[in-house]
């Protein structure tokens, strides 16, 4: 046996977990494009077009819009460490795992952290946030738009208005929303916003798109001390992505090729059509799961279509079900994080993974696995309910 078998032996998976999502063949092919140098005029052109397309998906005119080299967490760290310095106050709304991560990073920036909390799976109401802002206005109010650990979608427009009314900058994590549900940076007035490539943008992990408003750039310019991270200093990175073209670090060329192609696909599909596709496929999944007698974790009112959470039925083994889905059906879904471990499954429908066929294939596989666990299910009920929703969607 070959001790080092070729990567071509890697199994094909249907990626329906919390990310990465499946990648369009055109994006995979783009990564095989021969390299040019990071200051080659041809690459600079690709950078310009990528920046235009990022402004398109973020729905912004922000000058400072670029992909950070690193995954979504690098985007998170860049947003925080550029805006915060020692002693600055930040208010973070925590309703899941990624709000916790924001908090941990803010503390490492030596900021003074105040946390506003609601139970995991819920979202914040404007009154709660306003009260906390009034108590003591922070420099930054931060929130997660799409909490990947719970499947809740936080309405943000009013939150931005409240932050601004109290003189705070508004920072938003859109790692699991950008490219899947509307993110309107300029219309909402979001000051700092970051995402990751491997979720709804359907690109491999490795870049973190970020955008800063004029006010956020002003805060960056008015810092007392330089940004504590040299690598994530947006002022320095912008000198490479902006007019000056000054070398900072070597851009990950192939990842930028992939992002460019993924963004081209989004542009071709159109944002409205893309959001409608994500919503319809999620509604089909919800109908299917409910027809199988399963209970969705998040109320319909603020349920996220890109990451769907469902309660694990009594007496069913979380690990065994996910193991069988993976090993017998080639489908990856996620388990619960933190306090939701063992209580929910997380089913992603992001980007290229969000299709009617995938929903039907998943429901059929889940039915077989749950029947093997001893659950009594009406054969085909889930897939039929989902197919009805898809058919109505196709007709409208
Ligand atoms: C995945 C995720 C992150 C972290 O991204 P990585 O690419 O894993 O570093 C941050 N925030 C949210 C909401 C996420 O879903």
């Amino acid at each position: 046996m070959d001790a080092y078998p070729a990567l071509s032996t890697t199994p094909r998976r249907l990626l329906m977990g919390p990310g990465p999502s499946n990648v369009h063949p055109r994006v995979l092919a783009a990564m095989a494009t021969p390299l040019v140098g990071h200051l080659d005029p041809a690459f600079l052109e690709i950078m310009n077009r990528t920046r235009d397309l990022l402004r398109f998906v973020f729905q912004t005119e922000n000058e400072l819009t670029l992909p950070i080299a690193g995954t979504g967490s690098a985007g998170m760290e860049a947003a925080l460490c550029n805006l915060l310095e020692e002693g600055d106050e930040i208010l973070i709304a925590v309703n899941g795992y990624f709000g916790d991560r924001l908090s941990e990073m803010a503390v490492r920036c030596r900021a003074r952290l105040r946390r506003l909390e609601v139970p995991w799976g819920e979202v914040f109401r404007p009154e709660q946030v306003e009260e906390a802002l009034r108590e003591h206005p922070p420099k930054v109010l931060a929130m997660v738009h799409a909490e990947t650990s719970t499947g809740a979608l936080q309405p943000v427009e009013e939150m931005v208005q409240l932050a601004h009314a109290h003189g705070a900058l508004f920072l938003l994590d859109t790692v699991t929303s950008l490219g899947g549900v509307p993110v309107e940076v300029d219309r909402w007035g979001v000051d700092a916003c970051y995402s990751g490539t491997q979720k709804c943008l359907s690109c491999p992990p490795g870049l973190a798109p970020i955008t800063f408003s004029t006010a956020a750039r002003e805060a960056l310019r008015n810092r007392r001390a330089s940004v504590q991270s040299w690598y994530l200093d947006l002022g320095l990175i912008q000198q490479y992505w902006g007019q000056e073209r000054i070398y900072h670090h070597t851009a990950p060329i192939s990842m930028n090729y992939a992002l460019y192609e993924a963004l081209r696909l989004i542009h071709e599909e159109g944002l409205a059509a893309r959001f409608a596709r994500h919503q319809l496929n999620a509604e089909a999944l919800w109908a299917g799961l409910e027809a199988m007698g399963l209970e969705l974790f998040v109320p319909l009112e603020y349920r996220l279509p890109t990451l769907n959470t469902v309660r694990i039925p009594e007496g069913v083994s979380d690990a065994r079900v996910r193991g069988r889905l993976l090993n017998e059906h080639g489908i990856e879904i996620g388990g619960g994080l933190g306090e939701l471990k063992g209580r929910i499954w997380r089913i992603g429908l992001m980007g290229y993974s969000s299709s009617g066929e995938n929903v039907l294939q998943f429901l059929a596989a889940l039915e077989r696995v749950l029947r093997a666990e001893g659950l009594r299910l009406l054969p085909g009920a889930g897939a039929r309910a989902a197919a009805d929703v898809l058919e109505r969607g196709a007709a409208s």
Side-chain angles (χ1 to χ4, degrees):
M1 213 186 85
D2 190 350
Y4 304 106
L7 284 171
S8 56
T9 59
T10 309
R12 298 287 170 107
R13 303 292 197 207
L14 178 49
L15 297 176
M16 293 179 69
S21 56
N22 286 113
V23 172
H24 195 287
R26 263 175 54 188
V27 174
L28 291 176
M31 297 187 81
T33 307
L35 297 203
V36 292
H38 64 279
L39 289 168
D40 189 305
F43 189 70
L44 300 182
E45 270 309 310
I46 294 166
M47 289 168 67
N48 287 343
R49 293 186 206 122
T50 300
R51 216 175 26 183
D52 285 351
L53 287 166
L54 282 179
R55 290 185 182 130
F56 165 74
V57 292
F58 273 125
Q59 302 190 56
T60 184
E61 302 282 323
N62 283 343
E63 172 71 23
L64 202 174
T65 303
L66 51 83
I68 298 272
T71 64
S73 304
M76 187 186 281
E77 194 133 39
L80 289 169
C81 77
N82 279 273
L83 290 180
L84 297 176
E85 49 190 316
E86 187 161 3
D88 284 346
E89 187 160 323
I90 183 168
L91 176 65
I92 303 183
V94 182
N95 59 349
Y97 183 89
F98 290 101
D100 269 339
R101 182 172 294 182
L102 273 166
S103 307
E104 200 167 303
M105 285 187 186
V107 168
R108 289 184 186 216
C109 293
R110 302 181 188 280
R112 280 183 296 140
L113 167 69
R114 272 200 307 150
R115 285 163 61 106
L116 190 60
E117 299 191 48
V118 293
W120 286 31
E122 293 182 14
V123 292
F124 292 88
R125 285 175 292 104
E127 308 84 73
Q128 287 173 291
V129 173
E130 180 162 36
E131 197 185 316
L133 285 167
R134 206 174 325 116
E135 226 171 79
H136 197 270
K139 179 178 183 186
V140 177
L141 168 65
M143 295 191 177
V144 177
H145 188 208
E147 229 329 324
T148 321
S149 62
T150 67
L153 179 64
Q154 173 67 52
V156 297
E157 202 174 347
E158 253 184 286
M159 302 297 182
V160 183
Q161 288 163 9
L162 289 172
H164 289 172
H166 290 86
L169 294 166
F170 188 86
L171 189 163
L172 189 64
D173 176 313
T174 61
V175 177
T176 294
S177 52
L178 189 72
V181 299
V183 173
E184 302 182 54
V185 168
D186 282 3
R187 200 175 67 77
W188 295 345
V190 175
D191 293 295
C193 187
Y194 60 87
S195 191
T197 42
Q198 80 273 25
K199 301 199 183 173
C200 303
L201 300 178
S202 246
C203 190
L207 292 175
I210 193 166
T211 187
F212 263 38
S213 72
T214 310
R217 289 182 73 188
E218 191 64 29
L220 182 51
R221 251 194 310 274
N222 293 336
R223 288 178 64 102
R224 303 179 296 276
S226 51
V227 176
Q228 50 275 38
S229 164
W230 177 88
Y231 194 74
L232 296 176
D233 184 327
L234 283 172
L236 296 178
I237 299 172
Q238 174 67 2
Q239 289 186 337
Y240 171 55
W241 278 84
Q243 304 292 317
E244 295 111 308
R245 303 300 187 187
I246 297 173
Y247 162 72
H248 177 250
H249 61 269
T250 310
I253 305 289
S254 307
M255 272 314 302
N256 277 280
Y257 288 161
L259 176 60
Y260 178 60
E261 192 62 19
L263 293 170
R264 264 166 43 87
L265 283 161
I266 297 176
H267 190 256
E268 281 170 29
E269 181 174 13
L271 289 179
R274 191 173 178 92
F275 300 149
R277 169 166 66 86
H278 280 83
Q279 184 68 28
L280 177 67
N281 294 328
E283 285 175 10
L285 176 68
W286 304 339
L289 292 170
E290 284 180 331
M292 290 168 70
L294 300 178
E295 195 191 336
L296 295 165
F297 180 65
V298 174
L300 184 60
E301 187 195 346
Y302 46 87
R303 191 182 295 157
L304 184 61
T306 54
L307 191 284
N308 306 275
T309 46
V310 61
R311 291 183 194 275
I312 299 175
E314 207 63 50
V316 165
S317 158
D318 171 20
R320 202 161 50 219
V321 167
R322 284 190 289 121
R324 290 181 89 144
L325 281 170
L326 188 70
N327 299 320
E328 295 167 17
H329 300 274
I331 300 175
E332 178 182 278
I333 65 166
L337 276 181
E339 61 184 68
L340 294 175
K341 191 171 160 59
R343 291 173 52 203
I344 61 166
W345 286 313
R346 297 185 298 150
I347 306 156
L349 285 174
M350 303 183 193
Y352 190 54
S353 290
S354 172
S355 73
E357 300 88 85
N358 287 351
V359 168
L360 297 175
Q361 189 184 330
F362 166 71
L363 289 169
L366 183 65
E367 181 188 304
R368 289 188 59 178
V369 172
L370 289 180
R371 282 159 74 101
E373 283 284 308
L375 245 61
R376 298 162 74 104
L377 296 171
L378 215 57
R384 201 155 42 241
D388 281 348
V389 172
L390 293 171
E391 227 163 87
R392 277 203 304 276
S396 70

